[in-house]
Amino acid sequence: MKRALYRSASRHGKKYINRDLSWIEFNRRVLEEAEDPSTPLLERLQFLSITASNLDEFMGVRVAGLKDQRKAGLNKTDFTGYTPQGLIKRIMKRTERFVRDQYRTYRELMRLLSREGVSIVSWDELSPTQGEALKTYFQDIVYPVLTPMAVDVSRPFPLVHSREVYLAVVLRPLVPDPKNEDRTYCAIVQVPSILPRAVLVPGRRNSRKQSYLLLEDLIKRHIGLLFSGYATEAVHAFRVTRNSDLTLNEEEAEDLLQELEKELRRRRRGFPVRLEIEKGMHLDALELLKDELELDDDPYEIEGPLDLSFLSKFAGSLAGFDHLRYPKAEPVYPAEFDDEDDILAVIRDRDVLVYHPYESFEVVNDFLIDAAADPDVLAIKMTLYRVDAHSVLVQALVKAAESGKQVTVVVELKARFDEERNIAWARVLERAGCHVVYGLAGLKTHAKVTLVVRREDGTLRRYVHVGTGNYNESTAKFYTDAGLFTCHPDIGADASALFNEMTGYSTPHDWRAFAVAPDALKPKLFDLIDREIEYARAGQPARITAKMNSLSNQAMIDKLYEASQAGVTIELIVRGVCCLRPGVPGLSENIRIISIVDRFLEHSRILSVAAGGEEEVYITSADWMTRNLTRRVEVMCPVYDRSLRAMLLNLLRINLSDNVKARELKPGGGYERVKGELAPLRSQFELADIPLWKTVGEYLYGTTVNEREARGSTPKSS
């Protein structure tokens, strides 16, 4: 058995799992949630929609990058043993299977939904009365926004936007050309994304059933109205995914904001990576698309509606079907602040840990709102990576600046697919008088830190919030993330130094509490792992427990292999990409890795090490990926308060005990659902009972939360 395990890990001489193939496995785990009969039906549609959005981004970024390498003639193998060409072939095979499974799942979900009285129908299923009503809708609402784009000698092939659904129309003139009677003409029509993709069909009076017609089917039915003098020979849907990555020369850019705006316009014309076509597309239209788009690979022929991401809005818009959804989640306001009018006073007294979405993100908003209104607050500094479209935090920063406070905001303009929104917010902040900084050249600012400086009794006190997730009210409702509020002097000093480095010319800081990428985080992690190795070799308990989104840095994986071989027990909760092979004899038999995919997106990054007895616990913005450790500004922050450490340790233990939504990574690179003889434990449902896990946390170390007086000595973790 051991020999078979070793062979599976060393197949083709590989001791690592390829990052992109691991990502496909992650998206398959999401698809499994759509396939799972125990998941509420409309939630299954949401998961299916997520798989489509995920695949779009993967194609537009990761596959696009590989195709760039192939075009450049690069044939070097990566550390997992793949050349760009070889990896593209493997990805395409797996993706084709994945897409087939997506649409098989779609058909099954539509069948189940029809039993509940909701159907997506074809035009032929409509009654004459319904057809007339939808024709009126087309003429009044749809027709005015359509733009037919002919393709001929005088009108070149139009710009086809990435990820939009189009119709390719093949036409014949009603009066044929005597010189070329077989000639056809082609035109392109965009299906307007500004209109609902699923159009409600007028139903029978008093009927509870709801029928919908897809917008492209409505347009197809009336396409002849756009092309008078021509007969429609064929009309089929298609969709293009373009290279969505940005290539900025930050060193030579005179104005980074303007340069990014130019690059965003270039993105619209990025080279095509993928072509999806409706099954049975007319050969004339297909040849036109292949010639004009200059695709290297065959198109994906889809048997069903293109772009299943529309299912998210569709499922969310259905009223009266709450029994087909998860029970509504109501985040609780953190108990530590619930009966207090002064948030800053609570933080002065003790550190507070909050965990979203179980606890409301409103406390972060209120922290900044109170600071903005407090006359004794002199300065506010904050990092913004992905910002909500209607950000309360930005409005609080604006008010703080307008009231005369020093407000500094580090806005990351290069947050992929949020660039335009961040540009807009940066301009709002600048107009209000905030000092807006766009980070350091060549690095993304991914740290999540807020610093409030307040005048108190003739001195200054720093209040700090450090988080694992973005300052985004919308995503905080369904991303799991931890946030620490503290006045600890070492953390406050490091927060000040961090902002000075990002906004000025400060030399690298001698960090007291923080470990900051790109220079100090990876060495700190290695030091912590090396210390556990020494404990293991000395026969003492040695353990590493970590939770993150992705693990793909080769040096970090090798260090974990070294720790496993030394006898360190390693338990990892890695939601997405994982390039480490666990459980391989002689290499990683002491490493266990699980992934949890459930109602909420597991997003928090937490690390604990045994530290010879009293565990050290850290929260961080960084995954263990090369980009996070070497090309981003990231922060790892210790949790000094013993009871808060106990809470996070308990949280990790609950995650690791999940035997309902957890899958365990096997040596061969596949995942299997965790099975056990214990009663079912679904970690997200357990954590929804906030008083339970916080109470257990305090029980482990006693009820004393305030350790302010005990912090006079240098913390062990520094």
Side-chain angles (χ1 to χ4, degrees), residues 236-296:
H236 291 99
F238 73 93
R239 186 169 179 262
V240 175
T241 305
R242 295 184 179 275
N243 183 349
S244 301
D245 220 356
L246 296 176
T247 53
L248 280 174
N249 187 344
E250 297 180 53
E251 297 289 350
E252 297 182 10
E254 294 183 8
D255 187 317
L256 182 60
L257 190 146
Q258 290 182 5
E259 187 64 27
L260 183 59
E261 289 177 319
K262 292 178 185 176
E263 189 62 28
L264 288 173
R265 289 192 288 271
R266 293 189 200 108
R267 177 192 275 173
R268 298 170 190 164
R269 298 180 179 274
F271 71 85
V273 178
R274 173 182 60 164
L275 172 63
E276 299 166 276
I277 60 171
E278 187 178 348
K279 188 173 183 179
M281 175 172 273
H282 194 285
L283 287 178
D284 289 355
L286 181 56
E287 288 301 318
L288 174 69
L289 293 176
K290 290 170 71 174
D291 289 345
E292 294 291 343
L293 297 173
E294 299 179 348
L295 282 161
D296 297 328

Side-chain angles (χ1 to χ4, degrees), residues 11 24 248 256 328 443 497 536 560 563:
R11 195 162 39 107
I24 294 173
L248 280 174
L256 182 60
K328 190 173 182 180
L443 300 174
L560 292 171

Side-chain angles (χ1 to χ4, degrees), residues 365-419:
N365 291 341
D366 291 344
F367 169 65
L368 210 59
I369 290 170
D370 287 1
D374 190 331
D376 290 320
V377 168
L378 304 181
I380 300 174
K381 301 183 180 185
M382 189 174 189
T383 60
L384 292 178
Y385 188 73
R386 297 191 191 277
V387 192
D388 188 71
H390 308 285
S391 177
V392 173
L393 295 172
V394 172
Q395 299 303 328
L397 293 170
V398 166
K399 289 182 180 179
E402 291 175 345
S403 67
K405 293 176 171 57
Q406 291 290 310
V407 178
T408 303
V409 189
V410 180
V411 178
E412 181 47 72
L413 295 180
K414 303 182 294 298
R416 185 178 289 131
F417 303 121
D418 278 340
E419 298 96 343

